[in-house]
Amino acid sequence: MLSDESLRRGGVSRPPAGGGPGAAPHARPVWPLALTAALVAALIAVPAFAGSPHWLGRLSQLVTGSPLRPEHAVVLALALALVARGVLLRRRAAWYGLVTLALLGLLAVLSGDDPLWRLPLLAAALGGLWLERGRFPVRPHPERVRAAVKTGALLLAAATLFSLVFGGVSVRSVGDVASGLGATGAPMDGASWLPGVLGLAGAAGLLVLVITLLAPDPAPPPGDEAERARVAGLVLHPGSDTLAPFALRRDKAYVFSADGRAAIGYRVLFGMAVAGGDPVGDPASHTDAVRAFLSMCRTTGWRPAVLGASDALLPAWGRCRSIGFGDEVVIRPAEFTLSGRKMRNVRQAVKRTENFGVSSEILPERELTPALRGKLLDVASRSLGGAAERGFSMNLDELLTGYHPGAIVAVAYDEDKEPIAFQRYVTAGEGVSLDAMRRDPGGPNGVNERLIVEMVEYAAAHGHGLVSLNFAAFRELLDADERGLLEKAGYRALHLLDPWIAVESLYLFDKKFRPSYKPRSVVFRSWFDIAWLAAALLTLEFGRTRPAQRAAGPITEPVHHLGRS
């Protein structure tokens, strides 16, 4: 029987209890307890402020028992403030921290260091914490616990060595070093400055330990070949979204619905678990896959987010927030035509390539010869000017390596039959989605338009109802005739950044085809996550991906990740 840990890491998730998406028994708010911990932290810090009122000092002693030295007050207040934040994030380590503080208080009372009247107060606090233990599902990851133990041991060893070599501590008094790190005030031999240094090191070490134990789980390894094979089968489901193929990126991990008929591919960065688009697989199981993803995020401490969620599935994300950040550009082959005045620019681009003697072909990636594959990779390298491949939400990795042998490649040749441009498309659901568009900078203009037009014709001939090109980010802002002050500032920023992010130029290119638009949103848990969300999304979209490598030889046994033969 699988353990909970293997279920979580292996991609099979138990659905949480409760009625709504992502519901769970521990979903009751914890902010009252977090607020209480924060107020206690503020009271603990009172002795550090010399001019505080006398009544506030008495209130502080109500919490601490014995009076605290200012340096002790600062360190404990900072540590408890971190614990209060951990309570808000439902970290089990924060609950352990509160229980430890209550137990230490009880021991101080029983040993006679603190007044006896604090005993019922501390006992009540300990009992209340015990009753609330089920509301903290995010357990410390074993790696975090090991890191905390190693940090503590290293700190103790370094402090001991430092005290012996530089602090004048004798070998028989080496046991006092631990007391010095705790800044207990116990007498110790050695230099007069040593207790202050050890106390400072102990304070820093305590904060590091608290931060380490409260941290979310580390990022999981990407899905293995068995998981990716399962997801590849789900991508082929007729109800899959046009973004479904991009779940097969080799840097994504997976979580599956309880019935295994839907899955979400995601990456973890800066504590954000970012899913790319809607779940893949049977639409009837999409909501259950969302529930499994949210449940996993609760038990790992990750903040859930989605880049490219469709409007139809937004209700499945429950209380999560959403921001519409743009639209997916979609062409319907049954409605597409080059006729009419509005399509004149596209017609002229296609005609220009014909005048230059450009020819083309469309074929599965598995049929690329090694020689042609190498030439196309050279085109890709020249197209990017030596820059790395980038992207996450609508980009598939392993460009022309044979890893996705069923992907469709449209190739343009010059009059000497040398490749000058190519586009790769991947199939999912009712349509095909553009993955990569590369053109030799020295080639004639209009080649990209030519290949898109021919791909639309190919899709129509092969029964594909949609051709998805890319994202038109901030389309409403770029398309607006009138803009307010903030909109003008945003538009100006996009215009200035366009040489690096190509948002405006890509929108203008897509607009020529008179496409339809499918709204896409960013989904996230809380507005408090917005800074981490922005950092994660920008890194995922504009960070480097592993460059494609030329195949060592002909691909004779495809792995069937996209397009089964």
Side-chain angles (χ1 to χ4, degrees):
M1 187 171 181
L2 294 174
S3 66
D4 288 341
E5 179 70 13
S6 62
L7 283 169
R8 182 175 67 181
R9 297 299 177 193
V12 182
S13 299
R14 300 183 190 277
H26 53 256
R28 300 193 311 274
V30 293
W31 66 263
L33 184 57
L35 179 60
T36 302
L39 290 175
V40 171
L43 290 174
I44 289 177
V46 167
F49 301 94
S52 58
H54 178 70
W55 65 268
L56 196 57
R58 295 293 300 272
L59 192 59
S60 176
Q61 287 189 41
L62 180 67
V63 173
T64 62
S66 302
L68 295 177
R69 293 164 56 182
E71 57 271 24
H72 292 173
V74 170
V75 174
L76 289 177
L78 286 175
L80 192 55
L82 292 172
V83 169
R85 180 179 178 275
V87 169
L88 199 61
L89 297 175
R90 300 180 183 271
R91 303 287 198 262
R92 179 59 66 93
W95 182 83
Y96 289 146
L98 294 177
V99 169
T100 300
L101 286 176
L103 288 174
L104 290 175
L106 283 174
L107 290 175
V109 172
L110 296 176
S111 64
D113 293 334
D114 284 353
L116 191 61
W117 59 263
R118 300 187 71 231
L119 185 62
L121 181 65
L122 290 168
L126 195 59
L129 287 171
W130 180 256
L131 293 176
E132 296 298 319
R133 65 190 184 280
R135 296 166 68 182
F136 299 90
V138 186
R139 299 178 180 273
H141 191 274
E143 287 188 20
R144 304 300 191 200
V145 176
R146 286 192 292 268
V149 172
K150 290 178 182 177
T151 300
L154 181 62
L155 175 63
L156 181 59
T160 302
L161 183 62
F162 179 85
S163 300
L164 289 172
V165 176
F166 300 104
V169 174
S170 61
V171 174
R172 63 185 178 184
S173 301
V174 74
D176 295 334
V177 173
S179 298
L181 288 171
T184 60
M188 62 182 300
D189 61 3
S192 60
W193 48 262
L194 184 60
V197 172
L198 289 178
L200 182 62
L206 174 63
L207 296 178
V208 169
L209 291 176
V210 171
I211 291 172
T212 301
L213 291 172
L214 292 176
D217 285 10
D224 57 25
E225 287 302 311
E227 288 179 323
R228 194 165 282 105
R230 288 180 63 190
V231 175
L234 297 176
V235 168
L236 296 176
H237 192 282
S240 287
D241 188 42
T242 46
L243 303 191
F246 306 113
L248 290 170
R249 289 174 57 96
R250 294 185 104 178
D251 55 3
K252 288 186 176 181
Y254 301 104
V255 60
F256 293 83
S257 62
D259 60 8
R261 300 177 64 183
I264 290 178
Y266 66 95
R267 276 191 64 188
V268 177
L269 199 62
F270 308 131
M272 302 290 305
V274 184
D278 292 342
V280 302
D282 188 349
S285 298
H286 282 185
T287 298
D288 191 50
V290 169
R291 188 180 294 115
F293 180 71
L294 293 175
S295 176
M296 177 194 66
C297 288
R298 279 194 301 271
T299 57
T300 55
W302 298 328
R303 303 174 180 91
V306 187
L307 179 59
S310 67
D311 284 358
L313 207 64
L314 287 181
W317 293 98
R319 295 182 179 180
C320 290
R321 313 289 183 177
S322 64
I323 299 175
F325 78 102
D327 302 85
E328 183 184 0
V329 180
V330 174
I331 297 176
R332 300 186 181 278
E335 303 171 2
F336 182 78
T337 177
L338 285 177
S339 303
R341 182 179 179 183
K342 293 181 178 180
M343 297 298 293
R344 183 177 60 180
N345 289 338
V346 179
R347 285 199 309 273
Q348 290 176 342
V350 173
K351 183 63 177 179
R352 188 181 305 116
T353 63
E354 294 173 351
N355 294 338
F356 274 94
V358 173
S359 58
S360 64
E361 69 171 333
I362 298 176
L363 70 165
E365 185 175 331
R366 68 170 60 86
E367 295 182 9
L368 296 177
T369 64
L372 179 56
R373 190 186 306 271
K375 291 179 180 180
L376 293 181
L377 288 174
D378 286 336
V379 170
S381 179
R382 292 195 299 271
S383 175
L384 295 173
E389 298 280 350
R390 303 179 189 277
F392 173 76
S393 54
M394 287 194 72
N395 292 91
L396 194 64
D397 54 4
E398 300 292 344
L399 183 62
L400 305 186
T401 63
Y403 192 73
H404 302 295
I408 305 167
V409 183
V411 185
Y413 302 91
D414 62 15
E415 56 186 354
D416 297 323
K417 303 304 177 183
E418 291 295 324
I420 55 174
F422 72 92
Q423 295 171 5
R424 185 171 76 166
Y425 293 80
V426 288
T427 58
E430 62 173 326
V432 295
S433 298
L434 175 64
D435 163 44
M437 183 166 59
R438 302 288 182 261
R439 180 179 73 88
D440 191 320
N445 292 328
V447 173
N448 284 332
E449 290 89 336
R450 163 88 172 265
L451 290 180
I452 288 175
V453 169
E454 295 194 354
M455 192 63 209
V456 172
E457 294 172 351
Y458 173 94
H462 288 78
H464 297 296
L466 289 175
V467 175
S468 173
L469 296 183
N470 41 55
F471 276 141
F474 310 108
R475 182 180 70 88
E476 292 185 357
L477 176 62
L478 295 170
D479 207 26
D481 295 325
E482 297 183 3
R483 303 182 180 94
L485 185 60
L486 290 177
E487 286 83 1
K488 287 180 180 178
Y491 174 77
R492 184 63 178 167
L494 289 176
H495 184 73
L496 292 175
L497 292 172
D498 195 66
W500 294 277
I501 62 177
V503 169
E504 184 180 19
S505 56
L506 190 59
Y507 165 70
L508 294 175
F509 174 82
D510 293 333
K511 190 177 179 180
K512 293 186 295 185
F513 295 92
R514 305 297 166 183
S516 302
Y517 296 100
K518 183 177 181 179
R520 294 284 179 174
S521 299
V522 174
V523 176
F524 54 99
R525 183 189 62 178
S526 166
W527 289 106
F528 292 105
D529 298 339
I530 199 70
W532 295 111
L533 176 69
L537 296 187
L538 289 173
T539 303
L540 289 173
E541 280 296 327
F542 298 105
R544 293 172 176 266
T545 60
R546 189 175 63 174
Q549 302 293 325
R550 288 176 175 80
I555 308 299
T556 57
E557 195 66 33
V559 284
H560 298 301
H561 283 132
L562 274 179
R564 302 189 179 209
S565 56

